[in-house]
Amino acid sequence: MQGSLTADHPNPEGISETELEQRGARFAFGAPVTGAVSVGEGVAVSFGDGRVRFFQPGGTPLEVEAHRGVVLCIAADGDHVLTGGDDGRFLRISLDGTIEELANFGTRWVDCVAASHGHFACSSGREAHVWSSGQTKVTVFEHASTVGGLAFDAKGKRLAVTHYGGATIWDRGDRRWKSTKLFWKGFHGDTCFSPDGKYLVTAMQENALHAWRLRDRSDFAMPGYPIKIKSLAWVNDTPYLITSGADEAIAWPFDGKDGPLGRKPVCVAYNNDQLVTCVHALPGEGAIFAGFRDGSVQLAELDETKTALVISGPTGAEVTAIVVSISSSYLLIGDASGNVLWAPLWAGATNA
């Protein structure tokens, strides 16, 4: 791995800190961290009290009072972030805290947001609303049930919308959007395309993953999780899909002709039966961060023979966000009680 990252296990009295904690800064904001994304040189974090905070190297976090209620979703959009709240507002917020209201749905929540290559979208109820570069008019897609998740592919050409009974992929042509429906019973929530665009994966209410190979629409299930899967992340271009929802981080291989079909996942980062609630990839390193229900975080290579490093100790609240800055120099960890650790990732760096 780049640089040097070491960690210590806390002693029985819980006094010691890891090296990452020692060189980082801790904050207690008193409202749950609901999401976080890398933007600019830092990380933007959303909270349950309606605030968004921008963390940048060498400065105090910039606080923005964005929503009158919970910030339900957040996505990066160039040098801005997009947010949706239970106040019905869909916002674009710049790094200096300037707020632009893109849409207002009144009493209807904005449940999901997404952005890619000049396109951005939000969902409210059964509808997905999409804006495209150079166009002032919004395109509205209505679905049979409440939207559970939104995701653009890597090129921004396709938008996946999940709902009860499967997913709908909207493909942007020269003149109009065309839809392709993917069916599987049950409610589908968070979703993502594989980095190569060959697969679409959804996290289901039924504690399982479902995936479709898009060239022929063949599908397969990845069941058996003890709790709902709240967090998905891709590792490198191989690619592996890491998930939360078990007592280890589960990494499914999506290489080869059939991806994970008929293959076992790689399981790493174990913490005394604690369940994994959040995962994030360490870019370019073939390694992942796993955050647990007790608030601790481990760094693990995708190798079951190697022991993971404890990089942050328990806080007593489940980890809800782990994000590495775009330059891979800073790490942010947030939890359900509003605790945030903001730290230089590599040894030898400072938080100045």
Side-chain angles (χ1 to χ4, degrees), residues 67-312:
H67 292 271
R68 297 180 293 274
V70 179
V71 186
L72 298 174
C73 44
I74 185 170
D77 180 28
D79 288 332
H80 299 75
V81 294
L82 303 173
T83 62
D86 64 2
D87 58 357
R89 302 171 74 209
F90 177 40
L91 307 179
R92 179 192 279 127
I93 308 173
S94 66
L95 291 173
D96 65 4
T98 302
I99 297 174
E100 177 187 2
E101 184 177 277
L102 300 174
N104 192 322
F105 298 93
T107 58
R108 295 167 53 198
W109 294 4
V110 176
D111 302 296
C112 310
V113 296
S116 179
H117 290 74
H119 309 296
F120 53 94
C122 73
S123 69
S124 185
R126 298 181 178 188
E127 297 175 345
H129 297 250
V130 184
W131 291 259
S132 299
S133 298
Q135 297 182 1
T136 57
K137 185 177 179 181
V138 61
T139 301
V140 181
F141 304 133
E142 187 164 355
H143 303 85
S145 66
T146 301
V147 173
L150 295 176
F152 284 101
D153 68 7
K155 296 180 180 180
K157 298 285 189 181
R158 295 174 293 178
L159 174 68
V161 182
T162 62
H163 41 73
Y164 187 85
T168 301
I169 295 180
W170 295 92
D171 196 333
R172 188 172 185 269
D174 293 335
R175 296 185 178 181
R176 63 187 181 91
W177 294 81
K178 298 179 181 180
S179 65
T180 300
K181 295 187 182 300
L182 305 171
F183 298 99
W184 186 256
K185 63 182 179 180
F187 185 77
H188 299 255
D190 194 13
T191 187
C192 55
F193 287 91
S194 59
D196 57 15
K198 295 179 180 179
Y199 294 91
L200 182 74
V201 183
T202 67
M204 300 187 64
Q205 190 70 35
E206 292 78 9
N207 299 350
L209 290 178
H210 204 81
W212 288 267
R213 186 171 58 191
L214 298 177
R215 65 176 172 82
D216 59 6
R217 301 188 203 176
S218 63
D219 65 296
F220 47 90
M222 290 163 276
Y225 286 83
I227 62 172
K228 184 178 177 181
I229 301 158
K230 298 180 179 180
S231 184
L232 307 170
W234 293 97
V235 182
N236 294 338
D237 296 325
T238 306
Y240 277 86
L241 177 67
I242 335 158
T243 73
S244 65
D247 60 1
E248 294 177 280
I250 309 299
W252 295 96
F254 273 79
D255 59 336
K257 179 182 177 182
D258 297 318
L261 190 61
R263 301 164 69 185
K264 293 183 178 179
V266 175
C267 303
V268 296
Y270 178 74
N271 180 19
N272 299 319
D273 294 326
Q274 285 286 332
L275 293 171
V276 177
T277 58
C278 187
V279 292
H280 189 75
L282 180 55
E285 298 289 354
I288 63 103
F289 296 98
F292 294 86
R293 184 170 278 178
D294 67 355
S296 63
V297 176
Q298 295 183 12
L299 173 63
E301 295 184 56
L302 291 184
D303 185 338
E304 293 180 345
T305 67
K306 296 185 178 180
T307 302
L309 297 173
V310 178
I311 63 167
S312 181

Side-chain angles (χ1 to χ4, degrees), residues 24-96:
R26 285 195 174 277
F27 303 86
F29 292 111
V33 172
T34 59
V37 292
S38 55
V39 59
E41 295 299 318
V43 172
V45 187
S46 60
F47 291 84
D49 60 1
R51 290 175 169 84
V52 173
R53 293 179 173 90
F54 292 91
F55 289 77
Q56 298 283 352
T60 302
L62 172 66
E63 180 179 300
V64 181
E65 294 186 10
H67 292 271
R68 297 180 293 274
V70 179
V71 186
L72 298 174
C73 44
I74 185 170
D77 180 28
D79 288 332
H80 299 75
V81 294
L82 303 173
T83 62
D86 64 2
D87 58 357
R89 302 171 74 209
F90 177 40
L91 307 179
R92 179 192 279 127
I93 308 173
S94 66
L95 291 173
D96 65 4

